[in-house]
Amino acid sequence: YFSTFCNTIFWRQVAAAGVFHQPGGMLAGISLFVAMTALTTALLCLALYRWTAKPLLTVLFVATALATYYMEQFTVYLNPEMIRNILHTDQRESLELLSTGMILPLLLHAVLPIAVLWWVRLKPTPGVRGWLLRGGSIVAALLVSVLAIGVSYQNVSSLMRNHPHLRYLVTPGNYLVSLARVAVDDGRPHARLPVGLDARVDVRPAGSKPRLLVIVVGETVRAQNWGLNGYHRNTTPELARIGVLNFPEVHACGSSTEVSVPCMFSAGGRHDYDAKRIKRSQSLLHVLDHAGIASQWRDNQGGCKGVCEGLPFESFANAEVKGQCGRGGCLDEVMLDGLQRKIQDTPGDLVIVLHQMGNHGPSYFLRYPPDQAPFQPACTTPELARCSQQEIINAYDNAVLQTDRFVASTIHLLEADDSHDDALVYVSDHGESLGEHGLYLHGLPYALAPETQLRVPMVMWLSPGMAGNRGIDMGCMQRQAAKPASHDNLFHSVLGLMQVRTTVYAPSLDLFAACEQAMPMTVSPTGG
């Protein structure tokens, strides 16, 4: 049942890889089918006993039905990163994924087999004979799988070598193995490795204003639909009027929030990517803390992914602010509520992170006010398959407009602040697929993810005081913005902008370094 009815997307991808058109291709397909069935049998024989068989299979049928539905709808791969995304999805996001379109697939893939399952009467085989049958079944299943692969070894090994991510489409093994890996990796308690303990802030002239930097972490906005990048629709009119620095060629560290957010706030980034090391190390915010710079993470999404662990954090995901919160949660403007007071109450330098809900899909229509949606007709359901691609794009672009308004509003708030030298950096965590090549949403393995999921917008704004007192040539920055950049630049550019000196700082990755006018500086022994 699992091999035949729950792996249609796997078989489509195998066909798309051209396996069946090669010599011996049909035999390779049969070998794969037999091996999958045998391995699933071995797995079930290990887990199912008389008293656990029906309850456990019931859970597996439901989980597999859901996995099959979402894999079919959005072409997602259930690798450990995707399982981690699912486990960290909050209730609000989960509810948005429920729709009437799930009813028929769940009836066919879960309810029907569960009814048959509970109708069957299990007959016990007690004693040694039962254990011998179980052990023999497991050994026989493993032998059958080995023989099946051996019959078409060259074709099958070539397929898995050239398309290694196909294994994350084999259901239910994909989510079971990935879930086990996540449980092992995340279940080990660990203290974060310190980073930048030597961080110090450069001494400034007497009378200098403290510095305030706002980092806006965007959600699911892709560079291709960003008006400042030359998109045929003006989806960024407010930022265009302000005249921000726009970086049109920026690549994300990953195709999901779980990967990109920790990565962009890490010293290693994508160029030296090590997921375990990033997860177990302190972040940019901890380095700033070592230097004596206060920070706060204000969140309208699913948390800071460990980036702000042990540091001030405030969630607005369940806020109740009239005019800003409704059935789809709160608009991102809710994070500006009380922000001015927070700034005034914090002495010295301050870095604030605003983590957006942004363009989180598939319910793009919930990310903007209905009366501020010029692109019509827009898709108004999370079941993207029920909408035309243009309707999906219309809803998505309306949500990009809302991000434009939010970032512009944040800049206006900073413009009114005369107590600090202010700056803002906006960068999206990853992009999104909107139906191109049959792909939707995001989260594909990095090696397979298209440009739409990896190329993201980034803008910067510096107040005249910040640019002048930091000695930053804005004309030079305009030229710098035209060059390729990535999430790897964020960590080092923030340290450079805030004049934090530490051995983990890399000037070559600081976007401001090349445009910084020579100014005499000394290092404060007390952290500034």
Side-chain angles (χ1 to χ4, degrees), residues 448-498:
L448 296 179
E451 280 285 286
T452 52
Q453 294 189 25
L454 295 178
R455 189 167 155 245
V456 296
M458 182 168 77
V459 299
M460 295 181 182
W461 172 85
L462 276 67
S463 70
M466 176 67 88
N469 293 330
R470 274 293 287 107
I472 294 173
D473 183 341
M474 295 304 290
C476 172
M477 284 301 299
Q478 289 285 359
R479 296 187 292 274
Q480 181 79 348
K483 299 177 182 178
S486 74
H487 278 169
D488 288 10
N489 296 109
L490 181 69
F491 182 97
H492 306 279
S493 298
V494 169
L495 292 181
L497 183 64
M498 302 300 287

Side-chain angles (χ1 to χ4, degrees), residues 5 7 51 64 72 79 82 90 102 126 135 152 176 200 243 255 272 310 340 346 367 369 384 437 445 451 475-476:
F5 296 104
N7 280 281
W51 301 111
T64 302
E72 290 281 351
N79 60 358
M82 183 57 69
D90 60 30
M102 300 174 62
S152 299
L176 291 176
R200 297 292 183 269
S255 62
D272 191 21
Q340 188 63 57
T346 305
R367 311 300 173 224
L384 299 183
H437 309 295
E451 280 285 286
C476 172

Side-chain angles (χ1 to χ4, degrees), residues 188-315:
R188 297 169 180 162
H190 62 274
R192 289 190 176 270
L193 298 174
V195 175
L197 290 175
D198 61 338
R200 297 292 183 269
V201 179
D202 287 344
V203 171
R204 301 169 199 158
S208 296
K209 291 181 179 180
R211 290 175 183 151
L212 168 61
L213 170 63
V214 174
I215 302 173
V216 180
V217 178
E219 169 65 30
T220 319
V221 180
R222 67 187 198 176
Q224 291 81 357
N225 291 54
W226 192 244
L228 292 174
N229 288 346
Y231 183 48
H232 70 275
R233 284 175 165 172
N234 188 9
T235 54
T236 52
E238 298 296 327
L239 291 176
R241 275 192 284 272
I242 291 172
V244 295
L245 288 167
N246 182 60
F247 293 73
E249 292 293 335
V250 178
H251 276 79
C253 187
S255 62
S256 68
T257 304
E258 287 293 326
V259 174
S260 283
V261 169
C263 183
M264 72 168 78
F265 282 88
S266 74
R270 190 78 215 181
H271 73 284
D272 191 21
Y273 188 69
D274 184 330
K276 290 183 179 179
R277 186 176 64 189
I278 288 173
K279 180 183 175 183
R280 296 172 184 175
S281 299
Q282 292 182 337
S283 73
L284 168 64
L285 300 187
H286 295 100
V287 178
L288 295 172
D289 185 61
H290 299 326
I293 297 176
S295 69
Q296 185 189 41
W297 188 288
R298 294 166 77 89
D299 198 275
N300 192 33
Q301 226 229 84
C304 69
K305 313 304 178 186
V307 169
C308 63
E309 185 177 295
L311 298 172
F313 172 87
E314 186 174 4
S315 175

Side-chain angles (χ1 to χ4, degrees), residues 52 56 78 86 90-91 109 152 159 172 187 207 220 240 264 293 297 343 345 362 397 456 492 515-516 528:
T52 63
L56 190 55
L78 295 181
I86 294 169
D90 60 30
Q91 183 180 13
H109 287 115
S152 299
L159 173 68
T220 319
M264 72 168 78
I293 297 176
W297 188 288
I343 293 169
D345 292 345
D397 286 348
V456 296
H492 306 279
C515 300
E516 188 176 343

